[in-house]
Amino acid sequence: MNYYLECFKKYATFAGRARRKEYWMFVLFNVIASIVLSIISNLCRIPFVLPALYSLAALIPGISVVVRRLHDTGRSGAWWWIQLVPFIGGIWLLVLMCLDGERKENQYGPDPKAGESAAQA
């Protein structure tokens, strides 16, 4: 839950890096929230209203965590646009989201994994 809230704390922060765990936890909680809100919306007989409002609220944090995740792999946030390429674009972006981040400091900042392990020690 902490990773999910962290993405909303960094609502429109496109600078820096995000670990795979931060990204995938955000995706997981978005899927769960969308399913729960869809069920509630259907039970209240107002289909699509609650999920649509939630999707609007999560849009900018979602884009920013993708950009920070791309930064972690050493790529520019402009790679986000690759998903617009028909058929292969979304698959390629998914592959990029699954790649491990660079283990060293890059032009986007220090390795977030190294900072987390130092904080735990």
Side-chain angles (χ1 to χ4, degrees), residues 25-118:
M25 292 302 282
F26 183 76
V27 169
L28 174 67
F29 280 103
N30 272 336
V31 168
I32 292 170
S34 295
I35 290 170
V36 169
L37 289 173
S38 292
I39 291 169
I40 292 170
S41 185
N42 285 332
L43 290 175
C44 294
R45 300 189 192 275
I46 49 170
F48 307 114
V49 173
L50 294 176
L53 291 174
Y54 176 76
S55 294
L56 284 174
L59 179 66
I60 294 188
I63 294 170
S64 69
V65 76
V66 169
V67 169
R68 290 193 314 271
R69 179 73 200 115
L70 287 166
H71 288 171
D72 192 41
T73 63
R75 289 170 179 79
S76 166
W79 276 91
W80 181 82
W81 296 101
I82 193 75
Q83 66 186 325
L84 297 178
V85 174
F87 305 111
I88 194 74
I91 295 169
W92 185 246
L93 186 63
L94 176 65
V95 168
L96 293 177
M97 295 296 104
C98 292
L99 292 177
D100 196 15
E102 292 183 338
R103 296 276 183 195
K104 60 187 179 350
E105 184 170 340
N106 66 17
Q107 64 186 6
Y108 303 105
D111 180 13
K113 208 171 199 176
E116 183 178 282
S117 61

